[in-house]
Amino acid sequence: MDKILEAVVMSSYPNNVKQGLVRRVIEAAKQPMDSEQCWSMLELSTKLYLTGDTKYKREIGKEVLEVYGHYHPEEFEEFFNVRFLLSLLQEGYGPLGKRSHYVLDYIQLGLQFVLESPSANSIFSLLRIEVLRKVCERPSPKQCAKISKLLTQHPQCIPTGKHQLLFCQQLIRCIGQFQCVSEEEEEIMEFLEQVNKVSGLLQRIWRTQTSAILPSLKELFTIISSTEEQEAPSNALASVVQFVPLELMDGVIRNLTNDDSITDVQMMMAIGRMIDWVSWPLGKNIDKWIIALLKGLAAVKKFSILIEVTLSKIEKVFSKLLYPIVREGALSVLQYMLLSFQHSHEAFHLLLPHIPRLVASLKKEDSNSATSSLEQLAELIHCMFFRFSGFPDLYEPVLEAIKALPIPNEDRIKHLLGQNAWTSQKNELACFYPRLASKSETGKIGLINLGNTCYMNSIIQSLFMASDFRHSVLNLTEGNSQPLMTKLQWLFAFLEHSQRPAISPESFLSASWPPWFTPGAQQDCSEYLKYLLDRLHEEEKTGKRIYQKLKESSLMSQAVEHHYLNKTLIEKMFGGKMMTKIRCLKCLNVSSREEAFTDLSLAFPPSDRNVHGSTSVLPVEEIGPQFIEPPDNAGQLMGSPWIKRKAPMASDHAAPSVSVETLSFQEPGEAANLVCGSDVGVDAAKDPLSTFGEQACAPKDSRSVPDLINYFLSPERLTAENKYHCEKCASLQDAEKVAELTEGPHYLILTLLRFSFDPRTMKRKKILDNVSIPVVLKLPILVAPEETEEVFRRGKDGAVPGSGFMTVVYDLCSVVVHSGISSESGHYYCYSRECTDTIPHGQPQDGVPKPASDKQLDFEIQWYLFNDTRVSFSSFESVSNVTSFFPKDTAYVLFYRQRPGRQSCLLHEALAEAGRLHGEPSLHKDLMEAISKDNILFLQEQEKEARNRAAYISALPKSPLWWRDLDRDKDDDSSSGGCSPAAGGGGSGSFHGLVF
């Protein structure tokens, strides 16, 4: 019968004819048959099954084997013996070089017919040994899957005891070598199915033998932490972790992170490879294990590992958000990596170029998964904006991309940041920040944040960029008896000459620290600035006069020395004077008091006060910081020009008024729109400053700096509980109080009073109104009548005839921005530029220096953005628009520099003379040596850091280029299918890129 069957199978008849003949043979096989005939049929069917060159032949072999196993069990058991199986497993079946690949399938098929036979136990014993041997030989994924299928169906064949543990470990090593070389989707799916069968076997063993789990995980860690030069282990290992019970997680992670035998390089290698597992499409709980290990490393303060791994892997994790099948796990890992990386903006900034494209892709996908991920991503981005504010130029495209998505409230943001930080002790991360390899391309140097010290850093950079003040500080000689000023000199010198990308202001912070400030807490930068300037001023008054030093150095003429002998440097640079007058509204008696100031604190008008139109220049009749004196004093002015704002008084008369004005740059050829009306009395054709064109405009109903100054200078009624005690009337009377500027400072500091106390919440709240900032500001200064006549005789300074006021022009040079909604929190950064005079070396005409050139007044003067350690190029456009894009980022402290004019003539002459004689400030020997030594030390540190970093980086596992995922999304808009970045799919190529 075997000859007949063989002839039929080998014949050239059509398959349907063959099938009929085979059916007859199989039916005949169900009848009683002698042993010899059974053996012949079993040998033939074995041959067909194992070496058949077509699926049809193997199917016939299988059918015959099943019939004989069922109807002739004794003969089958005798044929399917231990010796035969051992030969199959060790030697194979078929000619050399063409051994059958179906031996394991054959054994699985035959086992079902010998389970109750006496030889069953011998067969099981043999298979337990042989499957272990097979696994140790590292079979292919397909063969490994067949072993797993065999053992899953017949668990009696699973190795036991110590062999079982060894079997699990070797099976994990097999998985670690699995690779799918095909890019065909069908073969990829087959590969994934094979991996699932193998990892499923491990799950089955672990369920019955939990003692095998930890040794298996140890073997897994050994594989992924190996630093030997070899091919990276397969991401298929992710399929193993998903079956580890989560209740074991804490113990496993604790043991790993506290194992002293594991080196940092090994741990870095392991966590890096685990993070690569986010691309494995069939894993469960993989993100939980990755996050748990990251948290475990943070708990034992392995911050170097966390930093290197995060920076090297975060972009790859981010790219996986394109794929729905792995998006949930990738987003979880990304959230933890970003929310925990709070000591530096580096990780978040790596993602900035890719966020808009990902957001566009997710919006295009339009699925529930994409919508949910977009909302979570937007929340994450806003947390990063909150934590790392001060980068408006970088964040603007990202903000534009997510503007339509929900914005979390501040409590939610603080909660997320608070629960994910690596450590609550910020000083533990101090040595890891900054990670700046080289100096900013701007050539400027940053300041290290020492724990919520951005308020100080912003003020220091603003003072440093005030070039006249900086040069004066750097020109100080040794032994000046001013310890705080000396520390500031050293800090400025390092900012000027250090090779470091950022320096630590720790020494200056400790010396200038207001005693009531709480260490580590955010502070008010304006409060710090006032305290600092006051300390420097008082220190110089009680110490050796700086102008005596300048005299000894012959830097000042006798006339200038005499004029400024009694002034400190702070008074010279930042000091102005203000006259406060109070007029009794009954007897019209006026009392006045002049006081010095270093900054003007500008309150916001009440909401019921009008904000004027679309221009930042108030109408002339609404401006005027003066009022009428009694008629018998002809040299002063009378009446209150604020009758439209204040209740009218019967004795008031009309009077000329002076505006606080703004200028902005106008391109040549455009028509000039004069700032001042004819009532101001300035001839526009004769005023070179007015020819610069259009006034700075503000949006309707918004406020401008001139609005706030005019409100500051406007008369205030003292009535009811605030009545004024008039000495002449000897009683409390209604009165009018007004402030007038009598001397403009060289550097005008304006503080916008944005913080007010809210009695309902018992907290200081912030006024978030956008305030337009003019790049050029005209300020009215009260002058004596004889000075006014002299000014008019010279035709200078834009004085107003009959008003007693002259106009002083200021250029904007720094803006300190507060980001946040409370003075006790948030972040400070600043925009700055260097405003200097372009005064010729020759004598100024008529004793007045020439004004700065057109170039100095336009918007092309380079702006810089100082944000702690980071310094970047910026623009006035960014300064102007920052609040429009980031409503919580508002201008807080402004620095303006006075242009050369009559009032500032002596000071400008002194500064110009010092500059001609000495050029750049010459530092004293000790300071120069300290800077030189530190620069050498920095180079040595760089070399050491480069070697250490190279060692870390070389240890990181190599993985596919992350950006290919993003590029594929950009170029593959027409793709479809289940695993692409789009809603439904992707070709096989994109799927392969995902998994491997």
Side-chain angles (χ1 to χ4, degrees), residues 748-995:
L748 173 67
I749 300 175
L750 304 176
T751 300
L752 312 188
L753 297 179
R754 291 189 173 275
F755 301 111
S756 60
F757 184 75
D758 187 344
R760 291 186 303 104
T761 61
M762 301 300 289
K763 292 182 179 179
R764 292 177 74 192
K765 65 178 183 179
K766 181 178 177 181
I767 301 171
L768 295 172
D769 294 7
N770 192 1
V771 176
S772 63
I773 304 170
V775 70
V776 180
L777 182 70
K778 283 185 176 182
L779 204 62
I781 303 295
L782 182 67
V783 294
E786 62 273 13
E787 290 179 321
T788 307
E789 292 175 8
E790 180 185 354
V791 170
F792 266 99
R793 181 175 54 79
R794 293 182 177 182
K796 300 290 181 182
D797 285 316
V800 181
S803 72
F805 283 84
M806 58 174 280
T807 299
V808 177
V809 181
Y810 284 90
D811 293 304
L812 180 68
C813 53
S814 286
V815 179
V816 178
V817 176
H818 177 263
S819 176
I821 59 173
S822 166
S823 61
E824 289 84 19
S825 64
H827 180 63
Y828 289 99
Y829 57 94
C830 75
Y831 293 92
S832 289
R833 63 172 182 167
E834 289 205 50
C835 294
T836 56
D837 301 327
T838 54
I839 304 174
H841 291 317
Q843 291 296 321
Q845 295 178 4
D846 300 324
V848 180
K850 291 183 179 180
S853 67
D854 294 1
K855 176 73 175 177
Q856 289 293 97
L857 296 176
D858 65 26
F859 294 101
E860 294 178 11
I861 299 177
Q862 184 60 62
W863 283 88
Y864 301 94
L865 175 56
F866 294 89
N867 186 2
D868 288 334
T869 55
R870 184 178 184 270
V871 187
S872 57
F873 290 114
S874 192
S875 64
F876 182 69
E877 182 181 10
S878 179
V879 180
S880 304
N881 295 332
V882 63
T883 308
S884 302
F885 285 102
F886 302 92
K888 295 178 184 177
D889 291 27
T890 54
Y892 184 40
V893 179
L894 313 178
F895 287 72
Y896 280 89
R897 180 183 184 273
Q898 186 181 145
R899 285 194 195 163
R902 184 211 59 80
Q903 190 190 42
S904 61
C905 178
L906 294 175
L907 177 58
H908 279 276
E909 281 189 68
L911 293 170
E913 184 179 352
R916 286 196 301 272
L917 292 175
H918 289 263
E920 284 299 310
S922 177
L923 306 179
H924 57 78
K925 182 180 178 182
D926 288 349
L927 185 48
M928 285 303 298
E929 287 181 356
I931 294 173
S932 298
K933 287 180 180 178
D934 186 69
N935 285 340
I936 294 172
L937 178 61
F938 172 64
L939 293 175
Q940 293 170 345
E941 290 172 359
Q942 287 290 90
E943 291 176 6
K944 183 178 179 181
E945 172 68 18
R947 288 194 296 270
N948 294 340
R949 186 169 171 78
Y952 270 126
I953 295 300
S954 64
L956 288 171
K958 303 297 186 293
S959 55
L961 298 177
W962 59 267
W963 59 79
R964 287 181 180 168
D965 298 308
L966 290 167
D967 290 341
R968 183 179 299 112
D969 176 60
K970 179 179 68 173
D971 300 330
D972 252 359
D973 290 339
S974 60
S975 62
S976 62
C979 304
S980 81
S988 59
S990 64
F991 188 86
H992 186 269
L994 160 68
V995 183

Side-chain angles (χ1 to χ4, degrees), residues 393-435:
D393 297 346
L394 289 177
Y395 293 168
E396 193 175 307
V398 176
L399 189 67
E400 180 68 21
I402 64 169
K403 64 182 179 182
L405 297 170
I407 301 174
N409 60 42
E410 187 168 342
D411 289 339
R412 169 66 175 166
I413 290 175
K414 289 180 177 177
H415 171 72
L416 290 172
L417 291 171
Q419 70 178 8
N420 288 286
W422 286 337
T423 173
S424 60
Q425 305 300 317
K426 293 181 179 178
N427 59 339
E428 292 182 341
L429 285 165
C431 59
F432 299 104
Y433 184 74
R435 286 172 38 88

Side-chain angles (χ1 to χ4, degrees), residues 340-376:
S340 63
F341 202 94
Q342 292 188 30
H343 72 288
S344 165
H345 55 256
E346 287 174 280
F348 178 50
H349 285 194
L350 286 173
L351 305 181
L352 293 180
H354 317 300
I355 291 175
R357 204 160 78 199
L358 175 71
V359 170
S361 177
L362 292 178
K363 286 180 179 178
K364 181 180 177 182
E365 183 179 314
D366 193 26
S367 66
N368 291 336
S369 167
T371 302
S372 173
S373 297
L374 271 174
E375 291 177 357
Q376 293 179 68

Side-chain angles (χ1 to χ4, degrees), residues 459-466 469-470 492 529 532 574 895:
I459 293 300
I460 295 299
Q461 294 287 19
S462 297
L463 293 175
F464 177 80
M465 292 296 283
F469 177 65
R470 178 178 76 243
F492 278 5
L529 175 60
L532 175 61
F574 304 102
F895 287 72

Side-chain angles (χ1 to χ4, degrees), residues 127-139:
L127 289 175
R128 290 187 199 112
I129 296 172
E130 286 301 308
V131 294
L132 177 57
R133 183 183 62 79
K134 282 280 188 186
V135 168
C136 289
E137 293 175 353
R138 306 287 180 266

Side-chain angles (χ1 to χ4, degrees), residues 504-569:
S504 171
E506 186 173 5
S507 175
F508 187 78
L509 173 65
S510 61
S512 63
W513 182 277
W516 60 89
F517 277 15
T518 303
Q522 184 61 278
Q523 305 294 343
D524 188 327
C525 76
S526 174
E527 186 178 3
Y528 173 76
L529 175 60
K530 288 183 175 71
Y531 176 79
L532 175 61
L533 295 182
D534 186 59
R535 277 276 309 277
L536 293 170
H537 169 68
E538 292 298 327
E539 185 180 83
E540 185 176 347
K541 281 177 64 178
T542 57
K544 195 171 183 179
R545 294 287 188 266
I546 188 173
Y547 294 103
Q548 290 293 339
K549 288 293 181 181
L550 291 175
K551 177 186 176 183
E552 293 169 7
S553 304
S554 301
L555 290 178
M556 298 184 69
S557 66
Q558 292 296 320
V560 175
E561 178 196 350
H562 176 73
H563 190 273
Y564 284 99
L565 183 61
N566 296 321
K567 284 197 172 188
T568 66
L569 178 59

